[in-house]
Amino acid sequence: MNTIPEIAEVIRSLKSAVIFTHMRPDGDAIGCGVALSRALDVLGIKNQLVNEGEIPAKFLYLSGAEKFLRFPTLDAEAYICVDSSDERRLGELCKTFLKGANKGKVTVNIDHHISNTRYCKYNFVQGRSSNCENIADLLEALGVPFDEIICNALMTGIITDSGSFSHSDVNGDTFRAAAKAADGGAQVDKITNELFRRQSKARSELYIGTLARLRYLLDDKLAIAVVTQAALEKGNLSQSDTEGIVDYALTVDPVEVSICLMEVKKGQYKASFRSKGKVNVNEIAAVFGGGGHILASGCMVFGDLEEVIDRLRYAVLSHMGDV
Ligand SMILES: [Mn+2]
């Protein structure tokens, strides 16, 4: 493992770099990418920012988010990965990354997931509530001024990955990084408005319709929400529009496990799990070949809806213990 000053020295010596972010990018991945890309611009290091997919529209308020490319066209000296615990998290771009690594490009990994496999030549991994906190330290070591672009990007990652400063791993570091971003001009009101206080009518209707049909099982300890393809198509919505449904159902008092089932196609459902803590949903997802964390996990389940619900209900029951 390397230190932040060592990573800063490697970056300072570069003439060009491609910054890789993980598939289905969240606010932290996007924030890290935008902030680091801006810093490299300031340092005069030619760079490109890549993601295998589309950047969700709700993050396009960020100045710098328009820089994302699907594929690098720059034959850069270095490949830098942010917020990605292993190469496979890069999705389609994993092949590109490995090809570059094999050709001897300088590879750098800056991440906050403790499961990180240290897959680069230079690795900095520190478990923090967001990787934007690590990037903030790196930019400080690089002597890059915290301008508005950098600060809005960092604040976006800090707010989203810390669950608005609510997760168990939020500590002084989180607030110190947030304070630096705020001092540098991060627009907290604008960011939180864009992220949490606006949505399309179609998305709102999907939300209301889905929650109105929430199913309670196992003495109200299990809640299951179902999002059909028909409902998504009706509103011209995508998978990212279902975000938050599973968290909402968990707020109901007796519910210990919440599941959101999203129909991928006929006979195939993507299940997202949330737990209040008494039930390990990582183990439940593993029953179906998925995984994740104790409190949040996911998997694919195949079969007709009622059959899928029965199997999930049984799997949750078997992992409930004396809850
Ligand atoms: Mn993250």
Side-chain angles (χ1 to χ4, degrees):
M1 245 265 290
N2 298 98
T3 62
I4 283 284
E6 284 165 1
I7 299 287
E9 197 166 318
V10 171
I11 289 179
R12 226 181 270 119
S13 73
L14 298 173
K15 286 194 174 59
S16 59
V18 174
I19 302 165
F20 287 77
T21 51
H22 63 74
M23 58 181 173
R24 293 191 301 277
D26 54 15
D28 194 30
I30 295 164
C32 286
V34 168
L36 185 57
S37 172
R38 171 70 177 166
L40 298 190
D41 288 347
V42 171
L43 293 166
I45 300 166
K46 214 168 159 191
N47 68 91
Q48 282 183 340
L49 182 53
V50 296
N51 189 279
E52 64 139 38
E54 209 151 303
I55 302 303
K58 67 174 176 179
F59 293 113
L60 296 181
Y61 67 87
L62 267 185
S63 164
E66 73 286 350
K67 281 177 154 181
F68 276 96
L69 304 172
R70 289 284 180 95
F71 193 82
T73 52
L74 176 68
D75 185 18
E77 193 184 341
Y79 280 177
I80 306 173
C81 302
V82 291
D83 199 33
S84 308
S85 50
D86 62 60
E87 312 88 316
R88 283 168 321 193
R89 289 285 291 142
L90 306 177
E92 291 282 308
L93 289 169
C94 177
K95 268 186 251 152
T96 311
F97 171 81
L98 289 175
K99 221 165 134 188
N102 287 336
K103 274 203 281 183
K105 286 189 194 291
V106 177
T107 56
V108 183
N109 159 27
I110 306 154
D111 186 30
H112 71 127
H113 298 95
I114 44 169
S115 58
N116 189 292
T117 59
R118 274 82 165 161
Y119 52 97
C120 287
K121 181 159 193 264
Y122 300 98
N123 301 280
F124 179 80
V125 181
Q126 186 167 340
R128 283 169 151 176
S129 69
S130 69
N131 197 45
C132 273
E133 291 164 51
N134 288 330
I135 296 292
D137 282 357
L138 175 64
L139 301 198
E140 200 152 75
L142 285 166
V144 173
F146 280 45
D147 65 12
E148 211 172 287
I149 292 174
I150 286 174
C151 289
N152 278 327
L154 292 178
M155 189 65 94
T156 293
I158 294 168
I159 288 174
T160 52
D161 251 26
S162 72
S164 304
F165 304 99
S166 73
H167 291 163
S168 60
D169 51 5
V170 168
N171 59 25
D173 283 352
T174 319
F175 289 101
R176 274 183 285 276
K180 273 181 228 156
D183 287 343
Q187 296 151 291
V188 177
D189 58 339
K190 183 181 166 190
I191 294 168
T192 52
N193 258 322
E194 294 284 346
L195 292 177
F196 309 125
R197 287 191 288 272
R198 61 176 293 205
Q199 60 182 322
S200 66
K201 189 178 170 198
R203 199 263 181 181
S204 166
E205 270 166 12
L206 174 80
Y207 216 85
I208 292 166
T210 304
L211 290 173
R213 290 189 308 276
L214 196 63
R215 297 204 203 181
Y216 292 98
L217 302 161
L218 303 176
D219 293 331
D220 296 348
K221 291 193 177 80
L222 170 63
I224 300 187
V226 180
V227 179
T228 61
Q229 266 303 316
L232 289 176
E233 277 162 22
K234 188 177 157 224
N236 199 16
L237 298 165
S238 65
Q239 185 184 325
S240 64
D241 292 302
T242 66
E243 225 173 76
I245 291 173
V246 70
D247 303 289
Y248 180 88
L250 196 66
T251 64
V252 179
D253 250 340
V255 174
E256 285 295 334
V257 175
S258 164
I259 303 175
C260 181
L261 282 178
M262 198 198 70
E263 186 184 31
V264 180
K265 58 183 183 203
K266 200 171 158 30
Q268 181 180 348
Y269 293 85
K270 182 179 181 285
S272 302
F273 299 80
R274 293 290 184 277
S275 165
K276 279 201 180 113
K278 288 184 188 157
V279 183
N280 182 342
V281 291
N282 182 34
E283 285 175 4
I284 298 171
V287 171
F288 301 93
H293 311 275
I294 295 170
L295 302 182
S297 65
C299 65
M300 285 292 176
V301 192
F302 299 86
D304 291 337
L305 180 61
E306 294 309 319
E307 181 195 341
V308 164
I309 289 177
D310 276 346
R311 286 165 64 200
L312 287 168
R313 187 177 55 89
Y314 180 74
V316 172
L317 178 65
S318 333
H319 287 83
M320 285 240 282
D322 49 10
V323 171

